């Protein structure tokens, strides 16, 4: 039985289909009973990039990393919408829709919820779950995955702490020449207090992704977060991707992160990630190039002079290095690469209308 059939059988057994919670840091669906809330997000960095000891002048200097408009609101009780238009994203197909990250409508009824539109493809992991504006030197999979696709989704709140989601979306491997490829995604989000001081949260998924017509690869992605006293966070993302004719655990991404919330205004984070693709299937399409084995490690410091419900101002400093091999020359992080960044991020609530 294929993973697609297994997922379908499980859903029929439970008689639920689950809603794709719009991840990438857009989580507030209620919009505080506003018809529309309009926000502006922007990020500007000065960065340095050195490869094998040589300064890459094309990637060193001031760079506009991100600018986007976000709107969300409640049209009627239970019916909400979310829109995020990123103007700093280069259209890959020369279309307006490539710059639209999210544009979906969701309806919630009792414990059930349903969505349709352009959504985040439901793949597990905490680094994948972050909005692009908050990514600091992400792993290779997150850097390359086409995570925003058209789809339909539905969900069920199993308990107050557990949400099950199922989504059928356009495949992350769809192109302008072939859009008739699909992905079947099942995700569980959970959060449970282990003790008074410890809380475990999870974003797990299984995915069957069509990369060529009638050919599928399977993802298993396990995102885990341990919260300690609301001051420390330990993140562990484990992901493996299996293609036909390949043995398991040949195409993987792992990420570990430790964050220290020193105060409401200061945060320090250390992170390491590992991407590899030792597959033998020459026809596979993947976000991590065949032959790649790359480790990226570094640290980030963040200062929040303003951080409230409506407005945020953040200053960051980051430094990362890599070792190993990367056979995708388009990636920022290559063999023996040093990356440094100092940047300013701001979030502004432009207006709310009830």
């Amino acid at each position: 039985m294929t993973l697609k059939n297994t997922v379908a059988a499980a859903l029929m057994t439970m008689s639920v289909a689950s809603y794709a919670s719009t991840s990438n840091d857009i989580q507030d669906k209620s919009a505080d009973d506003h018809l529309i809330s309009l926000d502006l997000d922007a990020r500007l960095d000065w960065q340095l990039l050195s490869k094998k000891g040589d300064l890459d002048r094309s990637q060193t200097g001031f760079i506009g990393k991100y600018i986007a408009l976000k709107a969300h609101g409640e049209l009627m009780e239970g019916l909400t919408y979310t829109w995020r238009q990123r103007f700093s994203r280069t259209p890959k197909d020369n279309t307006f829709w490539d710059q639209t990250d999210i544009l979906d409508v969701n309806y919630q009824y009792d414990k059930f919820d349903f969505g349709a539109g352009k959504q985040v493809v439901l793949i597990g992991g905490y680094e994948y779950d972050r909005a692009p504006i908050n990514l600091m030197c992400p792993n290779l999979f997150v850097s390359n995955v086409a995570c925003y696709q058209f789809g339909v989704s539905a969900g069920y709140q199993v308990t107050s702490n557990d949400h099950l989601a199922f989504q059928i979306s356009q495949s992350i491997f769809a192109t302008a020449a072939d859009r008739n490829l699909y992905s079947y995604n099942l995700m569980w989000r959970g959060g449970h207090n282990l003790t008074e001081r410890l809380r475990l949260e999870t974003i797990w998924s299984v995915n069957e992704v069509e990369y060529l017509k009638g050919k599928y690869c399977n993802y298993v992605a396990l995102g885990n977060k341990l919260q300690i006293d609301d001051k420390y966070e330990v993140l562990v993302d484990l992901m493996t991707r299996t293609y036909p004719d390949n043995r398991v655990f040949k195409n993987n991404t792992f990420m570990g992160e430790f964050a220290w919330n020193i105060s409401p205004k200061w945060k320090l984070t250390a992170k390491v990630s590992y991407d590899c693709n030792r597959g033998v299937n020459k026809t596979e399409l993947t976000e991590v190039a065949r032959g790649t084995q790359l480790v990226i490690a570094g640290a980030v410091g963040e200062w929040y002079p303003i951080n409230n419900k409506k407005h945020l101002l953040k200053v960051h400093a980051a430094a990362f290095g890599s070792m190993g091999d990367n056979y995708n020359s388009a990636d920022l992080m290559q063999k023996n690469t040093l990356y440094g960044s100092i940047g300013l991020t701001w979030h502004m609530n432009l207006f709310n209308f009830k």
Side-chain angles (χ1 to χ4, degrees):
M1 179 181 287
T2 67
L3 179 59
K4 179 172 63 176
N5 292 335
T6 302
V7 169
L11 290 170
M12 291 176 64
T13 301
M14 293 182 291
S15 300
V16 298
S18 182
Y19 149 60
S21 158
T22 309
S23 60
N24 276 247
D25 292 350
I26 294 183
Q27 299 170 343
D28 182 8
K29 294 296 181 180
S30 67
D32 296 327
D33 76 8
H34 289 119
L35 178 63
I36 181 171
S37 292
L38 186 64
D39 304 311
L40 175 68
D41 286 349
R43 176 176 155 193
L44 173 67
D45 285 12
W46 181 89
Q47 70 178 30
L48 178 147
L49 192 73
S50 174
K51 298 178 181 178
K52 298 181 180 179
D54 296 326
L55 186 68
D56 185 341
R57 298 183 64 86
S58 68
Q59 295 287 345
T60 298
F62 287 105
I63 181 170
K65 283 284 189 177
Y66 187 96
I67 182 170
L69 280 175
K70 297 192 304 184
H72 57 107
E74 188 173 40
L75 301 175
M76 56 176 286
E77 185 176 356
L79 183 63
T80 60
Y81 67 91
T82 303
W83 168 56
R84 185 169 78 200
Q85 189 77 13
R86 185 167 17 140
F87 300 103
S88 52
R89 189 181 189 198
T90 303
K92 66 178 185 301
D93 293 337
N94 248 348
T95 67
F96 174 83
W97 284 102
D98 289 331
Q99 297 189 73
T100 304
D101 287 345
I102 298 167
L103 182 62
D104 68 339
V105 176
N106 299 277
Y107 179 69
Q108 184 169 352
Y109 176 75
D110 195 21
K111 293 185 177 182
F112 294 89
D113 41 69
F114 307 89
K118 194 167 188 185
Q119 305 175 332
V120 181
V121 179
L122 291 185
I123 299 174
Y126 277 90
E127 185 155 53
Y128 175 88
D129 194 56
R130 289 176 176 144
I133 195 171
N134 295 323
L135 288 173
M136 302 290 176
C137 203
N139 61 59
L140 300 183
F141 174 83
V142 171
S143 296
N144 292 302
V145 64
C147 61
Y148 305 110
Q149 301 291 342
F150 291 100
V152 293
S153 52
Y156 182 71
Q157 195 71 36
V158 182
T159 71
S160 60
N161 296 310
D162 300 281
H163 186 270
L164 187 66
F166 179 65
Q167 177 191 54
I168 300 175
S169 70
Q170 189 167 268
S171 171
I172 59 177
F173 297 111
T175 65
D178 189 0
R179 300 186 182 277
N180 192 31
L181 302 173
Y182 301 94
S183 178
Y184 305 89
N185 314 299
L186 181 65
M187 174 180 282
W188 167 57
R189 285 178 178 263
H192 296 271
N193 293 324
L194 304 180
T195 69
E196 290 184 359
R197 300 179 57 189
L198 298 178
R199 178 175 176 81
L200 177 65
E201 297 182 0
T202 55
I203 308 176
W204 291 8
S205 77
V206 290
N207 312 81
E208 183 158 296
V209 185
E210 193 174 23
Y211 65 97
L212 292 173
K213 196 58 187 175
K215 295 186 177 181
Y216 293 86
C217 56
N218 300 325
Y219 292 176
V220 176
L222 309 176
N224 308 276
K225 179 169 75 171
L226 185 65
Q227 187 83 36
I228 308 170
D229 288 336
D230 294 327
K231 195 168 187 177
Y232 306 100
E233 293 178 359
V234 179
L235 304 182
V236 178
D237 287 347
L238 308 171
M239 182 183 193
T240 187
R241 303 171 288 272
T242 305
Y243 287 77
D245 304 322
N246 279 353
R247 289 180 294 172
V248 296
F249 305 123
K250 292 291 185 180
N251 192 332
N252 310 303
T253 295
F254 306 132
M255 189 278 290
E257 180 178 295
F258 175 77
W260 177 21
N261 296 295
I262 302 171
S263 73
K265 291 185 178 294
W266 292 92
K267 182 178 181 178
L268 291 177
T269 304
K271 184 175 72 172
V272 61
S273 64
Y274 171 68
D275 293 272
C276 73
N277 182 355
R278 295 170 289 153
V280 297
N281 185 349
K282 295 181 179 180
T283 63
E284 73 184 44
L285 299 175
T286 182
E287 303 81 3
V288 180
R290 192 181 306 106
T292 294
Q293 294 191 64
L294 191 73
V295 175
I296 303 173
V300 181
E302 296 170 302
W303 173 47
Y304 296 83
I306 301 173
N307 189 5
N308 55 54
K309 187 174 182 180
K310 289 188 175 182
H311 307 291
L312 176 145
L313 183 65
K314 179 177 72 174
V315 179
H316 79 263
F320 286 86
S322 66
M323 61 180 181
D325 295 302
N326 184 4
Y327 286 86
N328 182 358
S329 60
D331 286 331
L332 185 71
M333 300 301 287
Q334 300 292 324
K335 182 176 183 178
N336 298 333
T337 300
L338 293 176
Y339 169 80
S341 171
I342 299 173
L344 183 68
T345 299
W346 60 95
H347 164 83
M348 294 175 287
N349 176 244
L350 300 179
F351 71 86
N352 300 308
F353 180 73
K354 289 194 176 185

